[in-house]
Amino acid sequence: MTTRDLSSMVNTARHLSCGTALAVMCGAPALAGVGVDTSALNEAVTLEGVRSHLEVFQQIADDNGGTREASSDGYFDSVAYVGRLMALAGYEVDVQLFPYLVFENNSPAEFAQVSPVPMDYVLDDEEGFAEATYSGSGDVTATVEGVDLLIPAAADANTSTSGCEAEDFAQFTAGNIALLQRGACSFFLKAANAEEAGASAVIIFNEGQPGRTAALSATLGGPGVSIPVVGTSYVVGTELAGGEATARVMVDALTEERISANVLADTPIGNPDETVVVGGHLDSVDEGPGINDNGSGSAVLLEVALQMSALGFLDNEDTGVRNRVRFAWWGAEEAGLLGSEYYVNTVSDAEFEQIVANLNFDMVGSPNYVRFVYDGDGSASAEAGPEGSAFIEWLFNDYFMEQGLATAPTAFDGRSDYGPFIQYGIPAGGLFTGAEGVKTEEEAGIFGGVAGEAYDACYHAACDTIDNINDQGLDEMADAMAYAINVLAVNDLPMPSAKQAGRKRSAGQSVMDMDYRGNRLQK
């Protein structure tokens, strides 16, 4: 693809209507080659180089209303910037356009107890509520009716089956607001069953075990429920379940189809049967420029790729990459991992079967950072990643150990673009420096920073700017990323390709059961 072709494609994408055909793939795969001394690449990937890309992303956002949201001009300017540099560096670049559904509020949602104790709940507060993405719209005041609730909560999470079966609503009074409890099934199934039973709105409250008490920031995963749906805390749920409460639920929102894009860039050499997909999302939330989330991962990936080209990794199979590396900048992650999901679901069977592993880098410069490594072996999480993920975790941990730097595990819970890969059994791993979670005293003792404060206080906010980056943390993560990408590009890999491992895509297949879909809970 020439840079002129890229510019033309990006400009076309800005004006595509929802019905436009989206089969826009330009470029081809690539091939690999050589040694395992990573010092040259590590020295070439500098903090200054990474920050130069972050400054461009910030300027792009400044020029486009402060955002790089996945359908915005700011996003497509980011696509053009990344795609142009990768094409000039000798990579084979594809801009993969795809449709996606956007959920937006026309006005802020409202939720209140009308009686017996009048109470207005606060939107996006831990003891308040949040509207579920893809909720229907409506303004409903009605009696609240609990459905198959488990109060007090059981000791084990996912024990409540409230609303999971149509039979739960056998005695439900049509027109009432259904009060449901988080538990064993998806929020979509709960809400759909309630609507089928005649509920006028749905309130879903958290289940009640430690760590499952705050107001739910939920997603229904897609359209299909036409009544308003909100999530709330365990305390609020138990208050509403205690008697003949009346509540008001108001959601004023729309769901519409828009266009976004993935940028895919292949090394022009390397064994295609040993393809390593290395990615991070390029889009921001609508509220801000997204410089840590995820300009940081995007910028490091770009600088690593450019320095690989400058060092001759793409020139000769005897001295360059041995395994094809596909660099990926995903679109619409913030809408629910939609770009990576589109890629995994639409890549040809032959190319899917060539994928050996996925590395994911989402937020690697958090101001109050921890060096989180995805828990591939499941030693600190409910589930291990697919076979091969343990090796990727070891690779990062071994690197940091050699540097005398501590790490901490973070779970594959579905919050980033590894999700669609591990659903189909592709080994995955990567790095993360923390989002809205709060740093513990123990973490502060190990990693520094401030206990009791968020890893990134500007997560999903307008203040996620170029000033919202911890340079030391970003530099450490960039070195680790360069190291791992270098090793996987040139070394014999212990993970078999999808074809060798017998991994297939099939409707409804799910290797791992994850609580999140992007930044929203799905069950």
Side-chain angles (χ1 to χ4, degrees):
M1 172 188 284
T2 68
T3 56
R4 181 177 296 177
D5 292 336
L6 177 67
S7 298
S8 176
M9 174 171 293
V10 170
N11 288 331
T12 299
R14 298 177 197 272
H15 305 292
L16 282 174
S17 65
C18 297
T20 305
L22 298 175
V24 185
M25 298 288 289
C26 29
L31 305 146
V34 74
V36 78
D37 178 4
T38 69
S39 58
L41 184 59
N42 275 90
E43 290 171 6
V45 175
T46 65
L47 176 63
E48 292 73 21
V50 173
R51 283 193 66 92
S52 70
H53 304 307
L54 292 179
E55 289 166 0
V56 173
F57 292 146
Q58 179 68 66
Q59 188 62 56
I60 286 172
D62 291 345
D63 293 342
N64 290 281
T67 186
R68 297 184 304 107
E69 181 275 328
S71 64
S72 69
D73 283 349
Y75 182 72
F76 281 104
D77 283 350
S78 301
V79 167
Y81 175 71
V82 171
R84 177 177 179 274
L85 289 184
M86 291 297 283
L88 290 172
Y91 290 87
E92 296 173 346
V93 178
D94 293 347
V95 174
Q96 182 184 46
L97 303 176
F98 62 90
Y100 77 107
L101 291 172
V102 176
F103 174 85
E104 285 191 347
N105 291 295
N106 296 316
S107 59
E110 298 178 18
F111 172 42
Q113 182 179 170
V114 177
S115 66
V117 182
M119 173 74 69
D120 290 328
Y121 300 109
V122 178
L123 181 64
D124 295 330
D125 182 80
E126 281 200 357
E127 288 303 322
F129 79 104
E131 82 286 347
T133 59
Y134 303 110
S135 165
S137 291
D139 190 341
V140 174
T141 300
T143 299
V144 177
E145 183 174 346
V147 177
D148 192 24
L149 305 179
L150 193 57
I151 301 174
D156 297 327
N158 297 329
T159 301
S160 170
T161 61
S162 168
C164 292
E165 299 175 342
E167 291 76 14
D168 293 343
F169 297 88
Q171 305 301 316
F172 187 80
T173 304
N176 282 355
I177 296 172
L179 179 66
L180 308 177
Q181 188 173 11
R182 182 185 181 187
C185 65
S186 71
F187 298 132
F188 178 86
L189 181 59
K190 293 174 182 289
N193 284 339
E195 183 174 24
E196 182 67 23
S200 57
V202 173
I203 302 165
I204 306 175
F205 67 97
N206 217 335
E207 194 170 5
Q209 298 87 358
R212 297 168 74 91
T213 59
L216 293 173
S217 181
T219 183
L220 302 183
V225 173
S226 62
I227 57 177
V229 181
V230 297
T232 192
S233 68
Y234 179 72
V235 168
V236 170
T238 56
E239 290 172 351
L240 294 173
E244 287 292 314
T246 299
R248 175 175 177 250
V249 177
M250 191 284 287
V251 176
D252 176 20
L254 62 85
T255 297
E256 67 177 15
E257 195 171 70
R258 295 182 187 171
I259 305 299
S260 191
N262 298 322
V263 181
L264 308 172
D266 289 353
T267 52
I269 59 172
N271 181 5
D273 289 329
E274 301 285 331
T275 296
V276 180
V277 179
V278 179
H281 73 90
L282 186 56
D283 62 312
S284 73
V285 293
D286 188 56
E287 290 79 4
I291 300 303
N292 185 37
D293 183 18
N294 179 40
S296 60
S298 293
V300 176
L301 286 173
L302 181 56
E303 187 63 11
V304 169
L306 296 180
Q307 294 306 324
M308 285 175 65
S309 173
L311 291 170
F313 277 66
L314 313 185
D315 297 340
N316 188 312
E317 291 188 29
D318 294 328
T319 59
V321 294
R322 176 177 299 164
N323 310 306
R324 175 170 66 188
V325 180
R326 175 165 292 163
F327 288 92
W329 288 265
W330 308 117
E333 188 269 357
E334 299 291 6
L337 317 183
L338 301 185
S340 55
E341 181 180 66
Y342 184 84
Y343 167 79
V344 171
N345 287 337
T346 61
V347 68
S348 71
D349 289 341
E351 287 192 87
F352 174 81
E353 291 175 352
Q354 292 170 334
I355 298 173
V356 174
N358 168 242
L359 299 187
N360 185 72
F361 304 105
D362 184 358
M363 302 180 67
V364 292
S366 304
N368 197 24
Y369 75 102
V370 167
R371 297 178 210 97
F372 287 117
V373 177
Y374 287 116
D375 184 24
D377 64 7
S379 60
S381 308
E383 286 189 275
E387 185 179 358
S389 303
F391 169 76
I392 300 173
E393 180 189 11
W394 171 85
L395 185 65
F396 283 113
N397 282 332
D398 185 64
Y399 167 80
F400 281 119
M401 183 177 67
E402 288 293 321
Q403 307 306 309
L405 298 173
T407 62
T410 188
F412 284 121
D413 55 11
R415 287 194 65 165
S416 195
D417 287 303
Y418 56 76
F421 289 89
I422 63 179
Q423 289 283 21
Y424 288 127
I426 301 295
L431 302 175
F432 171 56
T433 51
E436 81 279 26
V438 174
K439 180 173 277 188
T440 66
E441 291 283 355
E442 182 181 10
E443 289 170 342
I446 296 170
F447 301 98
V450 182
E453 294 187 5
Y455 305 116
D456 182 355
C458 288
Y459 175 68
H460 283 187
C463 58
D464 185 11
T465 67
I466 193 72
D467 297 322
N468 190 48
I469 293 290
N470 185 304
D471 282 349
Q472 179 177 332
L474 181 63
D475 198 20
E476 293 169 356
M477 295 297 110
D479 284 343
M481 289 167 63
Y483 169 81
I485 293 168
N486 193 158
V487 170
L488 295 182
V490 306
N491 214 23
D492 291 330
L493 301 178
M495 301 90 73
S497 67
K499 183 176 183 178
Q500 293 167 326
R503 294 188 287 266
K504 300 287 185 182
R505 293 173 298 184
S506 61
Q509 177 183 2
S510 177
V511 174
M512 296 184 69
D513 185 20
M514 293 176 287
D515 283 347
Y516 283 87
R517 183 183 179 91
N519 57 67
R520 290 263 181 162
L521 286 160
Q522 63 180 348
K523 65 187 292 275

